[in-house]
Amino acid sequence: MLDKLKDFSSHFFVTGEPMIYGADVAILLTLAGIIFVLTYLKKWKWLWREWLTTVDHKKIGIMYMLSSLLMLFRGGVDALLMRMQLAFPQWHFLDSNHYNEIFTTHGTIMILFMAMPLMFAFFNIVVPLQIGARDVAYPFLNAVSFWLFFFGAMLFNLSFVIGGSPDAGWLSYPPLSGMQFSPGPGQDFYIWGIQISGIGSLASGINFIMTILKMRAPGMKLMHMPLFTWSVLASCIIIIFAFPVLTVTLALLFIDRFFDGHLFTMTGGGNPMMYINLIWMWGHPEVYIVVLPAFGIFSEIVATFSQKKIFGYKSMVFSMMIISVLSYFTWVHHFFTMGAGANVNVFFAITTMAIGIPTGVKVFNWLFTMFRGRIQMTQPMLWTIAFIPCFVVGGATGVMLSAAPADYQYHNSYFLVAHFHQVLIGGVVFGFFAGLYYWWPKMFGFKLNDRLGKWAFWTWNIGFYVCFMPQYALGFMGMTRRIYTYDFDMGWGPLNVISTVGAFFMGIGFIFQAWQILHGIKYGERDVTGDPWNGRTLEWSIPSPPPHYNFAVIPTVTGQDAWWTIKEERKKKKAKETAAFSPIHMPKNSGIPFIMSIFWFIAGFGLTFHWVWVAIFGLTGVGACLLARSFQYNSDYYIPVDEIQHTEDSVGRVG
Amino acid sequence: MHISKLIILFVFITIFLAGCDSRYLILNPQGAVAQKEYQLIIFSIILCAIVVIPVLGLLVYIVLRYRDKPGNKAPYRPDWDDSKRLEFIWWGIPIIIIGILGFATAKTTYELVDPPKKDVKPLTIEVTSLDWKWLFQYPDQDIATVNYVEIPKNVPVQFVLTSDAPMNSFWVPQLGGQLYTMPGMAMGLWLQANHKGEYFGSGANFTGEGFAHMNFKVKSTSTKEFNQWVRQVKETAPALTKADYNSLAKQGLSLEKSYSTIPKGLFQETVIKNGGQYYSQHHHMKNEDMKTMNVASDEQAHTQHEHQEGGN
């Protein structure tokens, strides 16, 4: 009995690595710390009422943001460990198995648990405010989305200390990810971690399409919408087509693993090509899902800090819509070298190149927004300016990659690794950072320190080029991705050392940002105006941080840059209109999203270890929560006029 | 600001001047296929530079000229947001450039389908990626090697690729681009070496723990030396038996090895065993291989049949 228990626990808990024991201790200490602080400060009730049960889009956005920054840290540590291992030829810092786990989790976490939630953070925080709405279309569903993401991410991260991490690459190609070659629970952690959070992403996509289409302030036509909101709409359109594909793909992979199906092995009539097609039908559009909102962010920032209208608004909208359609005609470029045949390769090479056209157009439009403007070098603007050269070069290497015969040489090499990091860091991460600095005062009511911000900016940027430029060269030298070690005689050592140094610079940049946040909480310059940047869109027309109903009076919109127009008019009239309040209809908080997601977590955990009873228990719980919700009739309330008056007076600034 | 720019410049210069170094395998093509790919790479770099360089120049100019500084006399037009003429230019130029690059890409893609030289009888080598080693079989010479290949220079070589493990990708950068090796499929890749020499080859697609060690050498020699080498292998190396193959196929690394004969139809059997019967080979094969495959597949159908009977 004891032996059995011993045997079980040695498989259940990951053992044998000092780093993992360190993580175990760190996790336990952090948990104990959190529990202690919450109990000591008597904050449990507050936590439950204000955060865990909230349906307020701004709070959900903030929770998305915090968890994704946490995941950025985890993914970043993974990256540094990999770069350490690769710094020198024949280096023995990590073994092969550990290295494989780390690059798999690095990729998965960065895309699905860092970029996606950070993007949803902006959706949540900004979209309702920009369109003059009081909440999203389905506030309850929004909370469900967040908690599903959160517990999906937790399930995935648990694999680090329990059961073992997935190690078949972030897209888990079969047959390597099948039972035969990946027998442990790692791969099932991958499937269920992503699956659970993926349901949340799909729901978010639907939610924001509905929000944008149905919840706009009176007078705001589609062609009056701020470009960020447009980019969210484009991105959500891709989400609702792409995420079902991911769900189905992972479900099929699970059938292969759990029921011994042969969907993705040729033995038995399946085909691994099927998986690769499916995963990239989600995977390539996914890139545009995360980059389009970044484009939207840049468009807002470039107009605000050039103190000028965005150049070529219609062209911007048109190009984003083209991208959202074209994104579905590029997936095959991920396997030009899989023997698809010349006709297929030529078709997908050209459709891939074509996506460079609308993207290039946007760059010119941003440039000409600055042209004849007055550029203010604020923190968000710095990141935007740094983004342009980075993305232009990354885009150019993308076009190079899309030339199929040339791709036969770049495929799976460090050239590719450098390219996608350049577009994803230079495009998405820089974009999201720019957005964080831009909307930070709106979210929290204070600005982040400029000097620390500049340090972060330069260490990140220098680090970026030092890290990834050598990787293009390494690709030309024939270095393939995902190798954990290489021989001296290849001559890859020096460039790898440089690259590793660059990665650490980026790490330092992240530390500056964390410091900046802590510094800001204590000393940050308060934003009392609600409009610290002299903004153009509606989110700047309300106090910072916004009251939970956002707009005391819903504004009427007459054109683009609604808030700018209102300000111009006020200058002319030199008088404020007095607002007449009426009661505001709001949704009530609910614990169901949180509890239901815990049940999903339990179900996912059971399925990961193939413990059917645990899975059934979890799924039953999920069903019970759904049932409970369907009998919840009393789910909304009205804020009385007195309370609105009181709140508006206390924030000191009436719209 | 200045220091950082200098650093970036320095990094760029080191990298791009270093391209002249012979260790930049892709930039030093040694075969007809790799050369075509190299030409396309250079062409695409030039085309991209036509857009990238002006954009970077424009960015620097605009940011410097239109900064919000007291006393900046540059024009400021906050409501200027449209110019059909300008937009026409930057929708038009990329379309033209993509058109040109698309044409060049299509041309090269179709060229690479055929053998680089048509007047020489090609050599066929059947490649199987295993966990974690490469098996090369020479069906016409009836010999096999592990983790190294020898080929005659100036002779087009048709590598027929499959896998008896997770899929990998067969890549010899100096001779030409890679192609996936996939279980149950046999795909053809033409390569050719123009000179004598030794080239680095590797598995490019991740296959698990031993993946990083799946490198192999490609040695190109004169036809005479090649024939000598074949004779030598036939005389000195042991035969490859089914049992040898099965132990090779087990997970683990391997040293370089040579075998004087191969079991008949081993390659085709590997393809069929992994599900090749579900897949029409005709998609990926050129005439030459199809003949061998067809001959073989009769036998395989047979073996397969026996296999099933045995199973029952």
Side-chain angles (χ1 to χ4, degrees), chain A residues 206-237:
Chain A
I206 296 167
N207 208 339
F208 280 91
I209 287 186
M210 292 315 285
T211 306
I212 293 168
L213 293 182
K214 297 305 257 185
M215 308 273 289
R216 275 168 291 139
M220 187 183 272
K221 294 180 187 155
L222 280 176
M223 289 311 271
H224 292 162
M225 287 196 314
L227 279 172
F228 177 70
T229 302
W230 262 115
S231 72
V232 174
L233 183 62
S235 175
C236 287
I237 291 173

Side-chain angles (χ1 to χ4, degrees), chain A residues 168 173-178 180-182 272, chain B residues 128-134 162-169 180-183 205-209 211 214 249 251 274:
Chain A
Y173 284 3
L176 185 60
S177 60
Q180 192 192 345
F181 297 104
S182 299
Chain B
T128 313
S129 63
L130 299 168
D131 257 344
W132 294 288
K133 56 198 84 69
W134 292 92
T162 195
S163 176
D164 197 6
M167 68 179 74
N168 208 314
S169 190
Y180 276 87
T181 61
M182 303 179 76
N205 191 56
F206 178 64
T207 54
E209 227 178 307
F211 161 67
M214 285 185 71
Q251 279 196 348
N274 288 306

Side-chain angles (χ1 to χ4, degrees), chain B residues 28-36 39 116-117 151-157 174-176 191-197 199 218-222:
Chain B
N28 284 284
Q30 300 294 320
V33 175
Q35 255 153 17
K36 272 192 189 132
Q39 281 158 8
K117 253 190 192 175
I151 55 170
K153 67 169 183 165
N154 286 326
V155 174
V157 183
Q174 286 186 289
L175 299 187
L191 294 180
Q192 181 188 309
N194 289 357
H195 311 282
K196 282 195 199 180
Y199 308 113
V218 181
K219 197 175 168 196
S220 131
T221 59
S222 68

